[in-house]
Amino acid sequence: WAPNFWTFYNLLDICLSKVLRIFHILPKTGVHPLMSGLVQQADFLVLPNISPVHSATLTLVALTPVLVKLFKNPSPGLFLKSATAAAFTSFLLGYHVHEKAILVILVPYAMLVFSDVKHARDYYFLSFHGTYSLFPLLFEAQEFLVKIVILLMVHSFMSITLARMYPDLKLNMFEKLYLVGLVFHFLSAEVILPLLLPHLEFLPLLLYSAYCSIGVGYSYIKLYTKL
């Protein structure tokens, strides 16, 4: 349940299975395999199952325009952008991607910060919600405040530093609203749902993946269009 393309694929299968159960096309017994909470390879109930070959093919198809452009017009700047796009594409379409793999994107992307204000803004946005997407990995009670403090400290320092580098750095309205939405998302996933629906232990993780997938997909499109 890393925040990538397959999150939407999983959610679509879950929704379709619920609709088919209402119309008695699927049996109503049992929990959807994707919501069992177990680390395992689960089968889809409605949509076709995805194999490593499917993921590899989609990744290669998405990367082909990037590689073609790089080979036609090689340059250090384009190489760094292409390497970042390759890491991004692998994260979005890869097979059994772990949440921590977002770091593989953030490391090369950080070097693009020095190229111009647009990449600096896009990196800040991705870094904030990308780091936030790792919150489910810190699930112990004693880690509750630690992850909040670390996220805010790091990105407050980053915000001050980038503002000095690029005084005109500003997020657009969607990005601002999305980051504000993280507050309500956090309260829902970390406080409200565990109190009201403690038996649905997998639901907060699903919310994390769904919400963060929107931000990750948005950041990917912005980077891809700049190549």
Side-chain angles (χ1 to χ4, degrees):
W1 282 89
N4 58 17
F5 171 79
W6 302 117
T7 296
F8 300 114
Y9 193 84
N10 294 343
L11 287 174
L12 179 59
D13 190 79
I14 292 172
C15 293
L16 288 175
S17 67
K18 290 187 178 297
V19 172
L20 294 180
R21 283 175 175 174
I22 293 175
F23 291 99
H24 306 287
I25 299 175
L26 288 178
K28 293 186 177 182
T29 57
V31 179
H32 195 289
L34 297 173
M35 300 184 66
S36 65
L38 300 176
V39 180
Q40 61 180 352
Q41 182 171 332
D43 292 328
F44 294 97
L45 297 182
V46 181
L47 299 176
N49 287 319
I50 302 300
S51 69
V53 175
H54 297 139
S55 293
T57 302
L58 288 173
T59 302
L60 183 60
V61 169
L63 275 178
T64 297
V66 178
L67 297 176
V68 170
K69 185 173 183 179
L70 178 62
F71 281 114
K72 285 185 175 180
N73 303 291
S75 67
L78 184 58
F79 175 80
L80 182 56
K81 292 180 184 179
S82 300
T84 306
F88 226 139
T89 304
S90 299
F91 179 84
L92 284 174
L93 300 173
Y95 188 76
H96 281 200
V97 176
H98 195 276
E99 292 93 328
K100 293 193 294 292
I102 191 72
L103 300 175
V104 179
I105 305 170
L106 292 177
V107 172
Y109 211 148
M111 291 184 281
L112 290 173
V113 167
F114 302 99
S115 60
D116 58 53
V117 63
K118 293 181 179 180
H119 283 108
R121 179 187 62 212
D122 295 343
Y123 174 76
Y124 178 82
F125 177 71
L126 174 64
S127 177
F128 200 106
H129 69 75
T131 305
Y132 175 79
S133 71
L134 300 176
F135 273 22
L137 302 180
L138 302 173
F139 53 87
E140 299 288 347
Q142 63 268 24
E143 298 168 335
F144 184 83
L145 290 178
V146 174
K147 58 188 179 184
I148 299 175
V149 172
I150 292 177
L151 176 69
L152 295 180
M153 284 183 60
V154 170
H155 287 87
S156 294
F157 175 77
M158 187 186 300
S159 178
I160 295 171
T161 304
L162 292 178
R164 291 179 178 178
M165 293 174 59
Y166 304 106
D168 56 340
L169 187 150
K170 293 182 180 179
L171 301 179
N172 61 37
M173 184 57 66
F174 170 80
E175 293 162 351
K176 291 177 181 178
L177 291 176
Y178 182 87
L179 293 183
V180 170
L182 291 179
V183 177
F184 301 99
H185 179 274
F186 178 80
L187 292 175
S188 299
E190 297 280 353
V191 180
I192 298 175
L193 288 178
L195 288 177
L196 298 182
L197 302 170
H199 59 289
L200 298 178
E201 298 179 358
F202 194 71
L203 187 55
L205 177 58
L206 189 152
L207 287 181
Y208 266 106
S209 296
Y211 193 81
C212 293
S213 293
I214 297 173
V216 172
Y218 170 82
S219 296
Y220 177 70
I221 292 173
K222 290 198 71 176
L223 175 64
Y224 206 94
T225 54
K226 289 185 175 71
L227 293 171

